[in-house]
Each structure stands twice: as C-alpha cells, then as structure tokens.
Amino acid sequence: NQFGARTGRLTTHKGTMPILTLPSSLRRGILPQHDFFVELDFNGAEVRTLLGLLQKAQPKEDIHTFHQKTIFNNKLDRSSAKVAFFGWLYGSKKTVTPEQSDALNNYYDKASLLDQYWKDGQIVTPYKKVIPNVDKHHALNYLVQSTAAELLIKQCLKISYLLEKKGHGSHVSFMIHDSIILDMKKEDLPLLDAVIYLMSSTNFGDFTVNRKKGSNL
C-alpha cells in the first residue's frame, strides 16, 4: 500500500501477507516461483538521498565508513558513526552528542533544504508529493524518507519494465523497505548487470547497490 504512511513508505494491506514485518526466522519459508531470488538495495538509501538533495557527490564506498572518515575524522567506529547520523537525522538527542551534531550540520546544510522544500508547515518533495502539517522537528526526516521511498519505487518500475521487455519470465516479486526482491530465471542472469545499472542510476547521482542471491528469502 503506497498510501499507508504519511511519507509514502510502503505498508501492507490488512489481511495480506505481512511481508514487511515477517520475522527473519520465517523468511526461509518464502520460496521463488522460478530459480532464485535476487535482492537489491541501496547502500545507505536515506543518506545518499540527502546527499543528492544537497547536490553533493555520491561516495563509492560504504556511506557510514565515509562518514566515519570524512565527518568524524575516525574518532568513531563505523557502527557509532551510523548511530550518530540517524540520531541527528531523526532528532534523537540520546544517540548523538552536540559535537557530533555540529560536525554533521557543518557537512549537511539542513537549513537550505528546509528553505527549499518546507514552507508553511508543508513538505513538497522533488517528486511533488505533498505532506501537510509537518513541524520543523520532523521536516528533514519526512523530506528524506519520502524522497527515498519514492525514488526506490521509481527504480523498481524501471527494473520491472526491463524484465518484462527483455526477460524470460523473471519479475519483481516484492519490495521490503529499501530492498527490491527479484524472482529470477537462470536464463535471465545476463540481464543482471543491466538491472543493477538501472537501480544505481538515480536523479541524485549513482548510488552504490548491494546485491544478494539465494534459493529462499
């Protein structure tokens, strides 16, 4: 359900398979119709969306390692750098120190984005989605979440079209948060490079894509 959350993040309709909240212990019971699943997801989808909104270059390396080195000068490990970033983005003072917030504010110009996309308590994303009644505390979070969700849906549609036109029955099976799960036939493995290229090519630069392959979810 594309309209189940204010930000446009996908939810599931009542009474359907709860694919978004299915415990990992049960996922192995989900099998492909064809030969295998391929899971594609962005490395740091929301972080890279924020970089794109600010028209900054996309790092080719892992995004939290990039933060660790570039923003925090290796004073934090990767895990702590990730926690600090999302604490800053979501406005959680419990998980980010004032010094860490200052370092992130120096790199990410939050004020310029709010000036551009948040007016009179309303967010209008680059994809023209309107989110009304948003306070300043949630504005950046909603902007980034919504834009990242819409971007992933756009990439999914591109991949679906390619598989429909060039494939032998492989298709998008479902989306789980920031991942696109493909139900692939082995005959379509030569298409995988083109699929990954489509996934990585975005309005906001070339995103790094992680991929996994398996006989069950």
Side-chain angles (χ1 to χ4, degrees), residues 61-133:
E61 63 185 313
D62 171 74
I63 196 67
H64 300 295
T65 302
F66 171 77
H67 281 169
Q68 177 189 358
K69 296 188 299 186
T70 305
I71 296 179
F72 300 117
N73 297 316
N74 289 315
K75 294 178 181 178
L76 302 178
D77 60 23
R78 180 191 180 279
S79 178
S80 299
K82 181 177 180 178
V83 169
F85 173 82
F86 284 110
W88 170 81
L89 179 64
Y90 297 143
S92 173
K93 294 181 180 179
K94 294 181 180 179
T95 58
V96 59
T97 68
E99 292 77 15
Q100 292 165 358
S101 287
D102 288 343
L104 287 160
N105 283 328
N106 286 334
Y107 191 80
Y108 292 106
D109 188 358
K110 182 188 301 188
S112 69
L113 290 182
L114 296 186
D115 286 344
Q116 184 174 357
Y117 295 106
W118 180 65
K119 299 182 187 301
D120 300 321
Q122 177 175 275
I123 292 286
V124 181
T125 75
Y127 294 111
K128 306 305 179 186
K129 179 179 177 63
V130 176
I131 309 174
N133 304 317

Side-chain angles (χ1 to χ4, degrees), residues 21-181:
T21 56
L22 196 67
S24 57
S25 60
L26 298 180
R27 287 188 177 187
R28 70 187 64 181
I30 306 296
L31 305 177
Q33 294 176 350
H34 301 308
D35 295 307
F36 47 83
F37 282 133
V38 172
E39 177 181 358
L40 305 175
D41 70 274
F42 290 134
N43 169 254
E46 293 184 358
V47 191
R48 292 183 182 277
T49 299
L50 178 59
L51 285 167
L53 288 167
L54 288 166
Q55 299 183 350
K56 287 180 173 285
Q58 294 290 341
K60 295 188 181 300
E61 63 185 313
D62 171 74
I63 196 67
H64 300 295
T65 302
F66 171 77
H67 281 169
Q68 177 189 358
K69 296 188 299 186
T70 305
I71 296 179
F72 300 117
N73 297 316
N74 289 315
K75 294 178 181 178
L76 302 178
D77 60 23
R78 180 191 180 279
S79 178
S80 299
K82 181 177 180 178
V83 169
F85 173 82
F86 284 110
W88 170 81
L89 179 64
Y90 297 143
S92 173
K93 294 181 180 179
K94 294 181 180 179
T95 58
V96 59
T97 68
E99 292 77 15
Q100 292 165 358
S101 287
D102 288 343
L104 287 160
N105 283 328
N106 286 334
Y107 191 80
Y108 292 106
D109 188 358
K110 182 188 301 188
S112 69
L113 290 182
L114 296 186
D115 286 344
Q116 184 174 357
Y117 295 106
W118 180 65
K119 299 182 187 301
D120 300 321
Q122 177 175 275
I123 292 286
V124 181
T125 75
Y127 294 111
K128 306 305 179 186
K129 179 179 177 63
V130 176
I131 309 174
N133 304 317
V134 181
D135 59 30
K136 187 174 184 178
H137 179 74
H138 294 95
L140 182 66
N141 177 11
Y142 279 25
L143 170 64
V144 172
Q145 271 200 31
S146 181
T147 305
E150 291 173 304
L151 171 61
L152 192 70
I153 292 171
K154 178 180 179 181
Q155 304 309 89
C156 185
L157 290 170
K158 289 160 56 176
I159 291 168
S160 181
Y161 183 80
L162 173 67
L163 292 176
E164 182 182 342
K165 294 298 181 182
K166 301 291 186 180
H168 297 83
S170 299
H171 61 271
V172 174
S173 188
F174 37 76
M175 299 171 67
I176 301 179
H177 306 304
D178 298 329
S179 300
I180 299 172
I181 316 295

